[in-house]
Amino acid sequence: MRQRDDTEFIDLLNSLRVGELTTAQLELLCERRHVPLNGEFADGVAVRIFLTVGQVDDYNDTMSTENAKLHRTYQINAVDESREVATYGRKPPDNVIPKDVNNCGGFLSSIKIGVGSRVMLRRNIAVSEGLVNEVMGIIKKIKRPALRRNQLEEGELPEAVYVKFDDDTIAVRLKDRDGCIPIPPSSTTFQAKRGYGDVERRMLPLILSWVVTVHKLQGTTLNRAVIDLGKKNFAKGQMYVALSRVRSLEGIVLSDLDANKLLNRPHDDRAMTEITRLRNLPSDNQGNT
């Protein structure tokens, strides 16, 4: 459905998915390797899709540094409180908080942001409005308590950040006059380590997203992206997922391309076996499988 207006791209993706990319289709991808990284594909404009967490962290750090030259950057810290009876409301010791953000309800312990920061929402806030996990946009305003312009102390949570999302159809009724949507801090509860019990974390439900890994884009649709399909590709199906997040081939630029990995069985054999099995199941009288 994403690529319904680009049949050539649909055929390319279908061929890649089953490991049968043609020479002509490979040439089409190679052409996207030579598009200049400027204009709508410049740094900070088009989303980058990289293959490893290390690449993502490095690029987001670089872009945050560049953005800080134009806009003041603030460190925002999560507020963690115990929800156990004996320690209720206390800040838990650092050594009981999981290091993996996925074990903390997906909320970061800290983030450095400012006006101009590109971010991704990490929680479903208003599903019917399209304000869901993985939508991306740019911070345009930061609202602080009591109409203050700056943090009272480093790490203080803002009242809300105002994000202009890439998709103009998201949460139209929630937008302000500038087309921005307020994102206030949210709360999540997770299990601490060492038997400490439940901890509630209050934090902005955002991560930086000048660049993201492939696995964070499972439900995302992009108009443009700069994608790394180089030697760091390590998982079957990764290339297909990365390319298929974009609506059209013209919306893609490849920052790196390892053609051997496109041609050397880029698909998951077990997944393809299951797809074939399901397609060959006999239909019932209702025409359903």
Side-chain angles (χ1 to χ4, degrees):
M1 291 299 295
R2 285 187 182 91
Q3 295 85 23
R4 59 182 176 273
D5 297 324
D6 191 340
T7 56
E8 186 175 53
F9 190 28
I10 290 173
D11 291 340
L12 186 155
L13 290 172
N14 286 335
S15 296
L16 177 63
R17 182 168 57 178
V18 298
E20 298 177 356
L21 204 65
T22 68
T23 301
Q25 289 169 337
L26 178 58
E27 288 176 352
L28 284 175
L29 284 176
C30 288
E31 289 174 5
R32 305 311 299 171
R33 178 73 174 86
H34 303 292
V35 177
L37 294 177
N38 54 33
E40 59 187 9
F41 293 107
D43 286 336
V45 179
V47 174
R48 263 60 175 166
I49 303 175
F50 288 171
L51 302 172
T52 68
V53 173
Q55 287 177 294
V56 167
D57 290 343
D58 289 345
Y59 187 84
N60 276 330
D61 287 345
T62 297
M63 291 305 299
S64 289
T65 300
E66 290 299 310
N67 189 58
K69 296 176 182 178
L70 302 174
H71 306 282
R72 182 170 179 178
T73 299
Y74 301 91
Q75 177 164 320
I76 309 297
N77 295 334
V79 176
D80 291 344
E81 293 184 352
S82 170
R83 285 298 173 259
E84 296 299 309
V85 174
T87 55
Y88 191 88
R90 297 181 191 172
K91 183 182 185 302
D94 291 340
N95 65 353
V96 306
I97 302 299
K99 300 294 185 185
D100 187 346
V101 67
N102 294 314
N103 294 328
C104 299
F107 285 14
L108 299 172
S109 59
S110 67
I111 187 173
K112 287 186 177 181
I113 57 170
V115 171
S117 293
R118 173 167 279 280
V119 292
M120 174 189 284
L121 192 60
R122 296 303 292 149
R123 160 166 288 195
N124 291 340
I125 293 179
V127 175
S128 62
E129 300 278 353
L131 203 55
V132 297
N133 182 29
E134 296 185 354
V135 296
M136 290 180 281
I138 295 175
I139 294 176
K140 296 296 186 180
K141 292 180 288 186
I142 300 176
K143 183 180 181 182
R144 303 204 174 274
L147 301 178
R148 286 188 283 107
R149 291 191 175 184
N150 290 312
Q151 285 180 319
L152 192 61
E153 58 185 35
E154 186 178 50
E156 180 188 33
L157 282 168
E159 188 173 306
V161 295
Y162 283 72
V163 179
K164 187 174 180 60
F165 287 98
D166 298 339
D167 186 345
D168 290 335
T169 66
I170 290 175
V172 174
R173 69 180 185 85
L174 301 179
K175 290 180 179 179
D176 66 7
R177 66 181 66 184
D178 298 316
C180 300
I181 299 170
I183 305 296
S186 298
S187 295
T188 187
T189 301
F190 59 88
Q191 183 74 38
K193 300 188 298 181
R194 304 173 186 266
Y196 188 85
D198 286 342
V199 171
E200 182 179 279
R201 171 167 290 181
R202 183 167 173 77
M203 182 56 164
L204 291 171
L206 302 170
I207 61 172
L208 294 175
S209 69
W210 276 293
V211 59
V212 292
T213 54
V214 174
H215 83 274
K216 278 195 168 64
L217 292 171
Q218 297 298 322
T220 302
T221 299
L222 301 170
N223 292 321
R224 291 179 300 278
V226 177
I227 305 175
D228 178 353
L229 295 185
K231 296 183 182 299
K232 291 186 181 292
N233 174 63
F234 60 88
K236 296 292 187 182
Q238 219 175 21
M239 292 182 168
Y240 171 81
V241 172
L243 291 169
S244 65
R245 301 308 93 180
V246 188
R247 294 185 189 276
S248 70
L249 190 58
E250 292 299 311
I252 290 171
V253 171
L254 301 179
S255 59
D256 196 7
L257 175 64
D258 184 351
N260 290 328
K261 292 197 173 183
L262 285 172
L263 299 172
N264 186 21
R265 307 189 67 75
H267 58 288
D268 186 317
D269 287 329
R270 290 176 298 177
M272 289 310 305
T273 298
E274 179 63 8
I275 289 173
T276 301
R277 185 188 71 82
L278 292 172
R279 285 175 174 170
N280 291 332
L281 286 176
S283 300
D284 60 23
N285 293 332
Q286 302 301 317
N288 299 317
T289 57

